[in-house]
Amino acid sequence: MPHPTRRALLRAATGLPLAAAMATPALAAFPERTLRIISGFAPGGLNDIVSRAMAQALTPVLGQAVVVENRAGAGGGVGATAAARAPADGYTLWMGIVDTQAINPNSYRNLQYDPDRDFAPISLVAHFPFGVVVGPSQPRLRDFEAMVAAAKAEPGKLTFASWGVASTSHLAMERILRARGVEMLHVPFTSQAPAMQAILAGQIDCMALPAGGAESLTRDGRSRCVAVIAQRPLEILPGAPPVNTLGVDLQSGLWKAVYAPARTPAPVLDRLNAAVREAMRAPSFVEVVRQQGATPQPSTPEELADLGRSERVAWGAVVRATSAFVD
């Protein structure tokens, strides 16, 4: 008569399926190796800056190295797809943004991921306000009203940049222009950094971009921030009025949040939520976020899930109004 195996005895003794019995020690020890944060955008932009600050702050909290992997393309869709298809073991995190989690599902006709089905929410990071910057090519556009007047005088002649069709930077600017009844020519770039370079070089007239990037463009005085997309004036962009005081009902900028692949075990998600929230209290992380005109906003997974659903509805209306669809 064959003797029972050690695994069979273990299964019988615990009354649990073998997979659950064998997984318990692994969960208790998590993490045991390097983790990665996938960023869906190229180095140099806000997503890369925040992802690297998060990785640095998470490393001592988790006791393991955390690295950033940039997977740019398709408005963040390349990185989102890679993160969604990664093993659901907690070692891959995704720095999602409003573009990837709320706008792309409305604008991309052949999206390769589902923001609800493919991701487990961990925590919101922050809402980052925008600044509207006019570059050195247009010294006459000294303020917001001058920009609007010039656009009305020559419809479609002034240009504005974004980091892609149907991106937050594109749709935010479209909402501002439509609210004031003016037209500009949209020039999309592959990411934030080359769009900013085009502004500085005088190739593009203006752009709506995160406040930290706007501040860096205006340091030498050649470019000007003529408005901010925020509920109140920003310390890092003094003198720039909120657009809601300029006849534009728009207050939302760009939010970022941490996710894991769907089906990541609940104990691992709990550990990651606690770790991310602790990392956001690190002085180094707080300072990076402050330099972008924001403050850390940790959340529960449920709060982040609710935010994603409500934002998909809100931005879906903007996509349809502007016909910002991507094949």
Side-chain angles (χ1 to χ4, degrees):
M1 178 178 178
H3 294 287
T5 64
R6 180 178 178 275
R7 291 190 175 189
L9 290 171
L10 174 62
R11 188 164 47 223
T14 60
L16 296 172
L18 177 60
M22 297 298 286
T24 302
L27 293 179
F30 176 85
E32 297 181 294
R33 54 184 170 84
T34 298
L35 296 86
R36 63 172 175 164
I37 298 175
I38 295 180
S39 167
F41 297 88
L46 178 60
N47 210 57
D48 181 63
I49 292 170
V50 175
S51 295
R52 294 185 186 281
M54 177 61 72
Q56 180 183 8
L58 269 177
T59 292
V61 174
L62 291 172
Q64 296 289 343
V66 183
V67 300
V68 174
E69 181 179 323
N70 297 94
R71 300 286 293 273
V78 171
T81 301
R85 295 176 179 173
D89 55 10
Y91 289 93
T92 296
L93 303 178
W94 165 239
M95 184 64 74
I97 69 172
V98 61
D99 300 50
T100 59
Q101 310 306 121
I103 298 176
N104 289 1
N106 288 291
S107 59
Y108 278 75
R109 302 183 194 276
N110 297 297
L111 200 66
Q112 300 300 303
Y113 65 92
D114 182 286
D116 279 333
R117 184 189 65 235
D118 293 332
F119 293 101
I122 294 176
S123 175
L124 178 68
V125 173
H127 285 81
F128 294 89
F130 273 25
V132 179
V133 173
V134 174
S137 64
Q138 296 289 348
R140 63 195 173 105
L141 307 186
R142 60 192 178 280
D143 56 28
F144 184 84
E145 293 301 337
M147 182 185 77
V148 170
K152 282 186 176 180
E154 298 179 290
K157 183 174 181 180
L158 291 180
T159 57
F160 75 93
S162 79
W163 59 72
V165 174
S167 64
T168 325
S169 57
H170 171 204
L171 297 181
M173 198 68 185
E174 287 281 11
R175 288 186 63 179
I176 291 171
L177 299 176
R178 285 169 177 262
R180 295 301 302 270
V182 297
E183 297 179 16
M184 291 186 187
L185 177 64
H186 174 220
V187 183
F189 287 77
T190 56
S191 62
Q192 179 180 326
M196 292 172 61
Q197 292 167 3
I199 294 287
L200 284 176
Q203 299 166 341
I204 303 295
D205 297 320
C206 60
M207 180 181 183
L209 75 164
E215 187 276 332
S216 69
L217 284 180
T218 59
R219 286 175 191 167
D220 65 1
R222 295 190 304 139
S223 299
R224 298 163 305 289
C225 183
V226 297
V228 293
I229 304 174
Q231 296 182 9
R232 59 188 62 86
L234 300 179
E235 181 180 347
I236 66 170
L237 292 168
V243 292
N244 58 8
T245 67
L246 300 168
V248 181
D249 184 16
L250 177 61
Q251 297 182 5
S252 62
L254 177 72
W255 53 262
K256 298 185 181 295
V258 180
Y259 298 81
R263 298 174 297 282
T264 299
V268 172
L269 291 175
D270 291 342
R271 171 77 174 112
L272 289 170
N273 176 266
V276 168
R277 293 168 72 94
E278 183 177 347
M280 280 194 275
R281 292 195 294 268
S284 61
F285 186 82
V286 173
E287 177 59 18
V288 167
V289 174
R290 187 197 67 77
Q291 290 173 358
Q292 305 299 323
T295 56
Q297 295 175 281
S299 75
T300 66
E302 293 76 19
E303 289 168 338
L304 177 54
D306 289 342
L307 174 67
R309 285 189 288 266
S310 64
E311 286 282 87
R312 277 193 291 281
V313 173
W315 285 103
V318 179
V319 169
R320 291 188 294 274
T322 58
S323 297
F325 300 107
V326 183
D327 292 325

